[in-house]
Amino acid sequence: MDRRKFILAGAALGVAGYLFKPSDKGIPYDDYFAQVNQQLKVSGTYLPSMLVDLDLVDHNIAALSQVINPNVDLRIVAKSVPSPELLGYLMEKTQTNKLMVFHQPFLTHIAQAYPKSDVLMGKPLPVKAAKDFYQNLNSQNKFDAKTQLQWLIDSEERLKQYLSLAQSLDQHFKINIEIDVGLHRGGLQQADELDALISLIESNAQYLSFSGFMGYDPHVVKIPSIVKSAEKAYQESQIIYQGFIDRLYRLNSNYKEQQLCLNGAGSPSLVMHKSNTVANELSAGSCFVKPVDFDLPSLSSFKPAAFISTPVLKKMSGTSIPAIEFAQNIFPLWDPNMQQTYFIYGGKWLAKYESPQGLQGNGLFGTSTNQEIVNSSKNVNLDVDDHVFLRPTQSEFVFLQFGSLITLRNKQVGSQWPILKQG
């Protein structure tokens, strides 16, 4: 390479390096998190904690009332807000006793805590899990499973298993049938598959009764628009759902006179059902706390209401990596967001750094559930015993990693609400 080409190549690399050099993303706490941080210093536990801001939850309840179809009922998805007290708060505020439950131990707990609740199972459980529920159901419990619980069934084979269980327990089961309205995660795919299930239910009326359909459709707002518009995907899902209803009525027109549970939606697709839906009830849960995975255009009026807080244990200048300590002050020359190193209490949650802005993990050092490394620029200005705040990417799993929720009201630390137990 001649001298001129060498100079040009060097200049090109320099320009490319300048263009791709990370910018300083560090910003101190905003007023909200500055106040919460100070409150946690006074009244917090200095442990990794899940915070739920009830003022923001109230905002989301109001937002829900604006996007949900006014002619349908609301069913709260328990797995997305897995705390008995939080469930009770939401049921009272939204004036519904309808819950969707996905886990047998949760079902047992809810039957005890909310004996007047109306429960639809959100997934088909192994029949042995259903058997455990009945065996653990206290005879003094006022929850009447015969009238208040719908088991979700996705196939003829599973229906036969549940029939056998009902016969062995001398119990009556309400059966809700899962239908595939385009998500392709199970359930009946063709309307004529319904025939065998309805026949089996009706021929065993002593033990089984048909209670409705569940057609979950979050895919309608997640399909890339270049493939299919949300409106088109929604209308297609509604046509499929209506096809099952029509088939049911042809099999037995008496179902037209019954109060069936025609469940649909989910937080992402609630707004699609607002003006026209075949469902008579819609499910929602995550929208009340809005984790990161629910940052969707359809939920733009909702606000994040749940945050992980965890204290800073250690603070160091630069970024020192084992075996390449010589680069401790070199890393920040390239990336100003590596000017400071913090180690926090815990880590490796399914969560994104929220505040202060500009915090980032370090792929060279690695992750830790014990003391996670966090880098930032000097503009972040955190000290030991300050708190780092993260937003969970989802609530249903991340909440379960904490023993309780810490509630906030007016940015003040409130009560500790226990989490539903997994087993």
Side-chain angles (χ1 to χ4, degrees), residues 34 234 329 409:
Y234 173 69
N329 297 315
R409 180 69 81 181

Side-chain angles (χ1 to χ4, degrees), residues 23 29 60 121 168 181 220 252 268 271 341 353-354 356 393:
S23 61
Y29 293 127
N60 292 337
M121 298 307 296
S168 68
V181 295
V220 301
N252 187 340
V271 67
T341 293
Y353 293 108
E354 178 72 9
T393 57

Side-chain angles (χ1 to χ4, degrees), residues 200-259:
L200 188 60
I201 291 170
E202 293 181 347
S203 61
N204 291 277
Q206 179 182 350
Y207 299 105
L208 305 175
S209 60
F210 175 73
S211 63
F213 294 122
M214 192 273 278
Y216 184 47
D217 60 9
H219 65 285
V220 301
V221 297
K222 295 183 178 181
I223 297 173
S225 58
I226 194 172
V227 176
K228 186 179 295 183
S229 71
E231 182 60 32
K232 181 175 176 57
Y234 173 69
Q235 293 302 331
E236 289 177 352
S237 73
Q238 290 285 284
I239 290 170
I240 295 170
Y241 205 137
Q242 186 63 57
F244 278 93
I245 296 172
D246 292 342
R247 185 77 178 193
L248 174 70
Y249 291 164
R250 285 198 296 272
L251 291 172
N252 187 340
S253 61
N254 290 330
Y255 287 115
K256 292 181 181 181
E257 310 304 321
Q258 296 184 18
Q259 292 294 317

Side-chain angles (χ1 to χ4, degrees), residues 117-405:
S117 60
D118 176 303
V119 176
L120 168 63
M121 298 307 296
K123 66 185 176 187
L125 295 186
V127 71
K128 289 185 178 180
K131 182 179 181 179
D132 286 345
F133 167 73
Y134 286 100
Q135 290 178 335
N136 293 320
L137 191 62
N138 191 316
S139 60
Q140 304 301 315
N141 197 310
K142 296 181 180 179
F143 182 84
D144 182 7
K146 179 180 178 180
T147 60
Q148 295 173 237
L149 173 61
Q150 300 176 65
W151 293 104
L152 192 68
I153 296 298
D154 60 334
S155 67
E156 183 180 0
E157 179 181 359
R158 196 182 303 274
L159 180 60
K160 290 178 179 178
Q161 292 176 343
Y162 272 71
L163 171 59
S164 178
L165 176 62
Q167 292 169 334
S168 68
L169 298 175
D170 194 25
Q171 292 277 351
H172 186 94
F173 293 173
K174 293 173 71 174
I175 301 298
N176 192 293
I177 295 176
E178 181 182 16
I179 58 175
D180 181 1
V181 295
L183 182 60
H184 306 321
R185 196 176 65 179
L188 305 190
Q189 294 186 329
Q190 303 295 328
D192 59 6
E193 295 178 67
L194 187 61
D195 299 20
L197 277 72
I198 294 299
S199 176
L200 188 60
I201 291 170
E202 293 181 347
S203 61
N204 291 277
Q206 179 182 350
Y207 299 105
L208 305 175
S209 60
F210 175 73
S211 63
F213 294 122
M214 192 273 278
Y216 184 47
D217 60 9
H219 65 285
V220 301
V221 297
K222 295 183 178 181
I223 297 173
S225 58
I226 194 172
V227 176
K228 186 179 295 183
S229 71
E231 182 60 32
K232 181 175 176 57
Y234 173 69
Q235 293 302 331
E236 289 177 352
S237 73
Q238 290 285 284
I239 290 170
I240 295 170
Y241 205 137
Q242 186 63 57
F244 278 93
I245 296 172
D246 292 342
R247 185 77 178 193
L248 174 70
Y249 291 164
R250 285 198 296 272
L251 291 172
N252 187 340
S253 61
N254 290 330
Y255 287 115
K256 292 181 181 181
E257 310 304 321
Q258 296 184 18
Q259 292 294 317
L260 298 177
C261 167
L262 304 177
N263 180 271
S267 291
S269 56
L270 275 170
V271 67
M272 304 300 296
H273 291 258
K274 184 173 183 180
S275 60
N276 184 34
T277 181
V278 301
N280 58 19
E281 64 167 51
L282 303 175
S283 297
S286 294
C287 66
F288 293 114
V289 292
K290 197 180 182 182
V292 172
D293 288 352
F294 291 80
D295 285 345
L296 303 168
S298 61
L299 296 173
S300 60
S301 60
F302 294 76
K303 294 182 179 181
F307 308 96
I308 296 170
S309 68
T310 191
V312 174
L313 301 177
K314 305 166 186 176
K315 177 181 179 179
M316 306 171 190
S317 295
T319 299
S320 184
I321 304 296
I324 51 173
E325 290 85 356
F326 63 87
Q328 175 177 353
N329 297 315
I330 297 176
F331 289 125
L333 294 176
W334 165 251
D335 185 355
N337 302 293
M338 299 179 75
Q339 292 171 347
Q340 297 282 357
T341 293
Y342 305 98
F343 287 90
I344 60 174
Y345 195 151
K348 209 172 182 178
W349 298 287
L350 292 176
K352 304 291 185 183
Y353 293 108
E354 178 72 9
S355 187
Q357 292 185 37
L359 300 177
Q360 61 185 36
N362 190 302
L364 291 175
F365 194 96
T367 58
S368 171
T369 57
N370 174 39
Q371 298 181 66
E372 185 81 75
I373 185 173
V374 184
N375 290 136
S376 77
S377 81
K378 292 180 180 179
N379 288 333
V380 163
N381 198 29
L382 280 174
D383 287 316
V384 171
D385 290 344
D386 281 328
H387 290 79
V388 167
F389 297 93
L390 305 91
R391 277 181 68 199
T393 57
Q394 57 165 250
S395 54
E396 60 192 71
F397 173 71
V398 183
F399 276 36
L400 301 180
Q401 296 179 278
F402 297 84
S404 62
L405 306 178

Side-chain angles (χ1 to χ4, degrees), residues 39 56 62 213 411:
Q39 269 294 302
L56 294 172
F213 294 122
K411 306 179 189 69

